[in-house]
Structure formats: structure tokens, C-alpha cells
Amino acid sequence: MTKPVRPKDSGSVLVVRQGDEGLEVLMGRRGTSAVFGGFWVFPGGKVDRADRQPQPAHDLDPAVLAHLSRDARRARAFAMAAVRETFEETGLMIAAPGCFEPGDHPSWQAFQAHAMAPRLDRLHYLGHAVTPTHARHRFNARFFVAWAEQTHGILGGSGELVDLAWRPIRSCLERPLIDVTRFMLGALLRQAAAGFETPHSFPRFGYRNRQRVVSYH
């Protein structure tokens, strides 16, 4: 029996705005050679060493920080990775003018070059998902929500996401999606209906014996 691949910590952001048809979310399609190639996804990716930095000036909500991990540095890294990957893949900075120690990562250095500092306090936590044990590429992912008007930059990014654009959630649900993406869009609608108040529990999407399991913690 092959030993399961250890899932990699990762973070994603659903950047949203109010449109003519209601809530819109920023999504793009992965290239066919990428993990989840051909599917529509939110910007995001694995935690990098450079994301495990000292506490930023504007941190996550303390209740969310404690929920993400017992290790505050690891918990913060999920959010930092989500912010960094959003910038790389969309050109948008979840940030505000301020000082920031960027380390040696080019993306964080770009924040400093624009005199911007990441604003983790602008992230709403949405949920947790773990890729099934039989998958070749596995992720231990945390999903966040950010409002477009609280970002800076010009929509563009690295080109990793094709056809990147704002789309009504109904339109997104009609596109090729992996199951966790579809689930998180539903979770987004539920949080929006509740006014994005911090809930008492958050969803965890995973698998047991190749069957999807959703629990709340």
C-alpha cells in the first residue's frame, strides 16, 4: 500500500465585490499542465518559507488566528501565503500604505517597493479543506475572503490564471470546478447572508474512505 502524500499548507482568497447581479468573485482557470489544470479556481497556493515572517502590524482577528492553528506563526503563514499568492496571480495587494520587512522574496519586496504592508485584518476566514489521501498532490488549505475595494493594484498578475475576471457566483457555479471550490462558493454565500460576522464554527471539507465529509469546528 502506497503511503499517502503529506498535504502542503496553503492559502487561497476569494476576492469579492458587489456587482449588478449581486456578489461577484474573482476567478480564473488553471493551465492544463498545472495542478487542477483546466478547472476554475480562486487565487492561492502553498505556504512559502518567506510567509513565516514576524507578526505584521495588522494581524488576523485573534479568534481566527487561534482557530487556524495552535501555532500562531503557522496560522499567520496561511494568511500571508494567501495574500502573496493573490498578488502574484491577480496583481492585487490586500494591503495598505505602511512599513513592512519583506525578506528576500520578490513578491514581498514588491509590496515594500510600493510602500505597502499586508493587511491580514482585512481577511475573513471562510473554511478549511484537505485533499484526499489518494491524490498525488495534496493541500492542507485555508480559504479567506477579502473585499475588492480594500485591495490595491491593477488586475493582471503572472498569467497563471487564464481568463481572470469578476463573475457573478451563479456564473462561477456553471463552470468546471473541483468539489472543494464549489463547496467554498456555497460557504461564501452563507457568510454573505450572515453579514460576514465571525461565526461560532467553520467548515472543514475533507474525505474519509474516499467519501466527502464536511464537519464544523
Side-chain angles (χ1 to χ4, degrees):
M1 181 175 179
T2 304
K3 185 177 180 180
V5 176
R6 182 176 180 178
K8 297 177 180 178
D9 288 351
S10 64
S12 293
V13 180
L14 286 69
V15 186
V16 299
R17 70 180 188 183
Q18 286 293 341
D20 294 338
E21 300 180 44
L23 202 62
E24 297 179 340
V25 61
L26 185 61
M27 294 189 75
R29 179 169 47 85
R30 293 282 182 207
T32 54
S33 62
V35 178
F36 306 130
F39 289 97
W40 293 78
V41 297
F42 318 117
K46 66 180 182 180
V47 173
D48 189 275
R49 176 183 57 82
D51 302 324
R52 303 181 186 276
Q53 300 190 30
Q55 179 177 334
H58 302 281
D59 206 355
L60 288 167
D61 181 301
V64 170
L65 192 67
H67 186 88
L68 289 174
S69 175
R70 294 179 181 178
D71 180 345
R73 190 164 178 247
R74 182 186 181 212
R76 196 172 290 114
F78 285 112
M80 291 289 283
V83 170
R84 176 182 54 74
E85 289 279 351
T86 297
F87 167 64
E88 292 174 1
E89 296 184 345
T90 72
L92 300 180
M93 294 181 177
I94 303 170
C99 298
F100 175 57
E101 290 294 335
D104 58 1
H105 196 287
S107 295
W108 291 129
Q109 289 176 348
F111 276 66
Q112 185 191 50
H114 288 83
M116 303 293 283
R119 289 290 300 256
L120 303 190
D121 59 328
R122 293 181 175 176
L123 294 175
H124 300 271
Y125 181 50
L126 186 61
H128 177 192
V130 180
T131 312
T133 56
H134 61 270
R136 289 178 56 195
H137 303 282
R138 301 189 66 216
F139 297 95
N140 177 28
R142 303 303 197 277
F143 291 81
F144 303 89
V145 179
W147 287 98
E149 57 264 33
Q150 293 186 332
T151 67
H152 295 263
I154 299 173
L155 191 63
S158 63
E160 291 183 59
L161 296 182
V162 182
D163 298 327
L164 181 67
W166 303 98
R167 293 179 171 85
I169 292 180
R170 181 180 301 175
S171 171
C172 295
L173 289 169
E174 294 172 351
R175 297 175 184 273
L177 305 172
I178 58 173
D179 50 6
V180 67
T181 304
R182 189 174 299 277
F183 176 83
M184 289 301 169
L185 283 171
L188 171 64
L189 288 173
R190 289 189 290 274
Q191 275 212 10
F196 289 102
E197 293 186 3
T198 302
H200 296 295
S201 61
F202 298 91
R204 183 185 186 279
F205 183 98
Y207 289 80
R208 184 179 300 121
N209 298 324
R210 295 186 179 240
Q211 298 294 316
R212 282 175 284 180
V213 177
V214 177
S215 56
Y216 287 81
H217 303 274

